[in-house]
Amino acid sequence: MDRSQRTLIAKLKEHSRLADEDIAEICTLTHNVRELASGEDFIRQGEKPKVAALVLQGMVARYHLLANGRRQYLSFHMAGDLPDSQGLFIERMDHSVCAIGPAMLATIPHKDLVLSFDRRPEFAFAIWRETLIDASIFRQAVSNLGSRPVIPRMAHLFCELFYRARASRLTTGNSFVVPISLTQLGEALGMSIATVNRTLLALRNSGTMDFRNSLLNVNDWPALVKTCDFDPMYLHLKRAPRWDD
Amino acid sequence: MDRSQRTLIAKLKEHSRLADEDIAEICTLTHNVRELASGEDFIRQGEKPKVAALVLQGMVARYHLLANGRRQYLSFHMAGDLPDSQGLFIERMDHSVCAIGPAMLATIPHKDLVLSFDRRPEFAFAIWRETLIDASIFRQAVSNLGSRPVIPRMAHLFCELFYRARASRLTTGNSFVVPISLTQLGEALGMSIATVNRTLLALRNSGTMDFRNSLLNVNDWPALVKTCDFDPMYLHLKRAPRWDD
DNA sequence: CGCTTTTTTGAAGATGGTCAATGGGTGTGG
DNA sequence: CCACACCCATTGACCATCTTCAAAAAAGCG
């Protein structure tokens, strides 16, 4: 069992039950490693996806490029995530995937995955569930953009990132490395960079969280959760991460 | 082959190839019919989904209920859609589904579906693709809310609804019945009802479209497409609907 | 026909955007 | 080692958009 197989198994176990046979099946999957420079695209809107990507290190993001040149970030992904699982059964990518900070990915051919799906339907269902959770995260983004003022909107994004990172054991204490620039935050949350900055200041002054120099610090988790009414149910994890370890 | 089976097959054929065996498998599925009054919930946030729903008639919507009482509509669905396919492999619903105007649904137990999936993986992949297209629609909603001013934002929603309806042959000429109230439009597009009304007026005056009394009228499709840079690629349909029939 | 609900319109005010200028790091080359 | 350039973050002033509030008109419905 190599690193990427271990990462994938750990990820799927966060929400699905895997039989020994499923794990054995995953261990037959081979992959290539691809390193991305900060900002580099992994796949672009319009291209035909042929491989699935698994994040091994760093952070990547999905984004749309609009006709007017604007960029809209759709979701952010960390180690264990499958940032282009959404391209599995689809002819052409309707969005792009790029690195946020330097990142390392494992790529697995779709062909191999589908063969495994035929052999182990439960494995397919686990990946399917993964794509459904992705969709649930998109739905939250819709509500976040459509219904929340800037401060809770920003808080919700960081709540989600921190909670997911914590569930995957990627945090250190109350900190998590998030190499997103202010500009990119604005392009994710539909805010101007000025507002992004003022909103981060407000959150800092409230004593709930502090995002600076690519480092997120959660100072008062319950208060932060309350600012945005964050309810992690939508992440559909089997068990909540513990806060006392 | 009954009505609901025919509807499902037609829908899946919009984006997937089905073998005769897949169609035969679908024809073994039995269902119940459920009628919903306007506004009635089909399933609520927090409940455990046990059946999948197929829209036979009318329109239904997914929505979030936020802690502050606000309602955020996430997507709208018409005949042929599977509005809670997102609940297939998930423990609890992270959103609700309600009727927009009176609607009729066919319900199919998840258990039966999964048994069919095991027998015909291609059928499973077609439904999976359906859920991935749903996710793609959510992504567009994110971009719509995050990046577009009110007029193109409204235009984009109606472009999508009309295009999807046309692809499913639910339009009559340039018209399509959309029983959404102004309040609900606002709750979908993150606008106040006053702005919704003024935006509809602006679109009416531009001569591109006219939405009034639950009836959408597309007067100038190319111009409407241009106002919001609508590109239907993200709907992943095998072939575009024809405009000249 | 009177009631409720939905749509329409106006005016005032707040939120967040735009623009422009400043400051702080970091890396490069003289 | 310093000077310069560049990128990113920060801040202020002004302004546009959209919200809120209030009220009237129109449209369904018993």
Side-chain angles (χ1 to χ4, degrees):
Chain A
M1 196 186 302
D2 65 28
R3 176 185 180 185
S4 90
Q5 291 161 354
R6 218 166 35 237
T7 307
L8 180 58
I9 290 166
K11 183 68 186 183
L12 296 180
K13 276 190 169 171
E14 286 177 17
H15 54 68
S16 295
R17 208 182 298 272
L18 296 178
D20 291 343
E21 290 87 345
D22 299 314
I23 290 173
E25 182 63 47
I26 291 171
C27 290
T28 68
L29 292 169
T30 60
H31 68 276
N32 288 313
V33 170
R34 175 149 173 212
E35 306 218 18
L36 294 174
S38 181
E40 189 181 348
D41 283 325
F42 173 71
I43 187 167
R44 287 211 184 85
Q45 226 160 304
E47 293 180 358
K48 301 193 178 192
K50 292 217 158 62
V51 297
L54 172 72
V55 182
L56 296 177
Q57 212 170 79
M59 196 166 233
V60 304
R62 299 191 177 107
Y63 70 91
H64 274 158
L65 226 38
L66 304 203
N68 60 23
R70 261 194 73 111
R71 180 179 286 222
Q72 173 71 48
Y73 285 96
L74 303 164
S75 60
F76 297 103
H77 298 277
M78 52 193 80
D81 287 345
L82 295 161
D84 69 345
S85 54
Q86 299 286 330
L88 243 177
F89 289 103
I90 261 169
E91 266 295 295
R92 294 164 161 282
M93 294 294 288
D94 55 78
H95 60 280
S96 304
V97 176
C98 72
I100 301 285
M104 197 162 87
L105 303 180
T107 64
I108 308 167
H110 284 176
K111 242 187 312 185
D112 299 351
L113 278 175
V114 172
L115 288 175
S116 288
F117 293 163
D118 283 339
R119 283 191 291 266
R120 297 294 313 165
E122 281 299 326
F123 172 48
F125 296 159
I127 299 280
W128 193 340
R129 187 173 290 117
E130 182 74 23
T131 66
L132 291 175
I133 293 174
D134 260 339
S136 173
I137 291 174
F138 292 135
R139 284 192 289 275
Q140 283 295 326
V142 170
S143 285
N144 210 24
L145 288 165
S147 293
R148 277 192 262 264
V150 285
I151 292 180
R153 199 189 309 167
M154 175 83 70
H156 197 277
L157 174 62
F158 280 109
C159 272
E160 176 187 308
L161 287 175
F162 191 72
Y163 192 94
R164 284 166 50 199
R166 183 115 189 177
S168 300
R169 311 195 164 280
L170 295 170
T171 56
T172 54
N174 292 321
S175 302
F176 177 48
V177 175
V178 182
I180 307 179
S181 73
L182 296 209
T183 307
Q184 292 173 320
L185 271 179
E187 290 168 336
L189 295 170
M191 304 179 193
S192 71
I193 183 176
T195 304
V196 167
N197 193 25
R198 288 187 259 257
T199 307
L200 285 174
L201 265 183
L203 286 168
R204 204 174 292 159
N205 291 332
S206 75
T208 52
M209 57 159 274
D210 185 334
F211 175 70
R212 220 182 319 194
N213 304 326
S214 302
L215 190 69
L216 169 67
N217 240 288
V218 175
N219 303 315
D220 186 344
W221 175 254
L224 183 60
V225 162
K226 207 166 172 200
T227 349
C228 57
D229 294 309
F230 177 73
D231 176 356
M233 189 263 269
Y234 74 95
L235 294 169
H236 299 284
L237 303 184
K238 273 199 304 203
R239 52 199 176 325
R242 307 187 46 188
W243 300 106
D244 50 8
D245 52 359
Chain B
M1 193 188 304
D2 67 26
R3 176 185 182 183
S4 92
Q5 291 160 356
R6 219 168 33 236
T7 307
L8 180 58
I9 290 166
K11 183 68 183 183
L12 296 180
K13 276 190 169 174
E14 286 178 17
H15 53 68
S16 294
R17 208 183 297 272
L18 296 178
D20 291 343
E21 291 87 346
D22 299 313
I23 290 173
E25 182 63 47
I26 292 172
C27 289
T28 67
L29 291 170
T30 61
H31 67 278
N32 289 313
V33 170
R34 176 149 172 214
E35 306 218 19
L36 295 174
S38 181
E40 189 181 346
D41 282 326
F42 172 71
I43 188 167
R44 285 212 185 83
Q45 226 159 303
E47 293 179 359
K48 301 193 179 194
K50 292 214 157 63
V51 297
L54 172 70
V55 182
L56 295 177
Q57 210 170 81
M59 197 168 230
V60 304
R62 301 191 176 106
Y63 69 91
H64 274 158
L65 227 38
L66 304 203
N68 59 22
R70 259 194 74 112
R71 181 180 283 222
Q72 172 73 46
Y73 285 97
L74 302 163
S75 59
F76 297 102
H77 298 279
M78 53 194 79
D81 286 345
L82 295 162
D84 69 343
S85 53
Q86 299 288 328
L88 244 176
F89 289 102
I90 262 170
E91 266 296 294
R92 295 163 161 282
M93 293 296 288
D94 55 77
H95 61 279
S96 305
V97 176
C98 71
I100 301 285
M104 197 162 87
L105 303 181
T107 64
I108 308 166
H110 283 176
K111 242 187 313 184
D112 299 350
L113 278 175
V114 172
L115 287 176
S116 287
F117 292 164
D118 283 341
R119 282 191 291 267
R120 298 293 314 165
E122 281 300 325
F123 172 47
F125 295 159
I127 299 279
W128 194 340
R129 189 174 289 117
E130 183 73 24
T131 66
L132 291 175
I133 293 173
D134 260 339
S136 174
I137 291 173
F138 292 136
R139 285 193 289 276
Q140 283 295 326
V142 170
S143 286
N144 211 23
L145 288 164
S147 292
R148 277 193 262 263
V150 285
I151 293 181
R153 200 189 308 167
M154 174 81 72
H156 197 276
L157 175 62
F158 280 110
C159 271
E160 178 187 307
L161 288 176
F162 190 71
Y163 192 94
R164 284 166 50 200
R166 183 116 192 178
S168 301
R169 312 195 164 281
L170 297 170
T171 55
T172 55
N174 292 321
S175 301
F176 177 46
V177 174
V178 182
I180 307 178
S181 73
L182 295 209
T183 309
Q184 293 173 320
L185 270 181
E187 289 168 338
L189 295 170
M191 306 180 192
S192 71
I193 182 176
T195 305
V196 168
N197 193 32
R198 289 186 256 258
T199 307
L200 285 174
L201 266 183
L203 286 168
R204 205 173 291 159
N205 291 332
S206 75
T208 52
M209 57 159 275
D210 184 332
F211 176 69
R212 219 182 322 193
N213 305 326
S214 302
L215 189 69
L216 169 67
N217 239 289
V218 176
N219 303 315
D220 187 344
W221 175 255
L224 183 60
V225 162
K226 208 167 173 200
T227 29
C228 58
D229 294 310
F230 177 73
D231 177 355
M233 189 263 269
Y234 72 96
L235 295 170
H236 300 285
L237 304 182
K238 274 200 302 201
R239 54 198 173 326
R242 308 187 46 189
W243 300 106
D244 49 10
D245 53 358

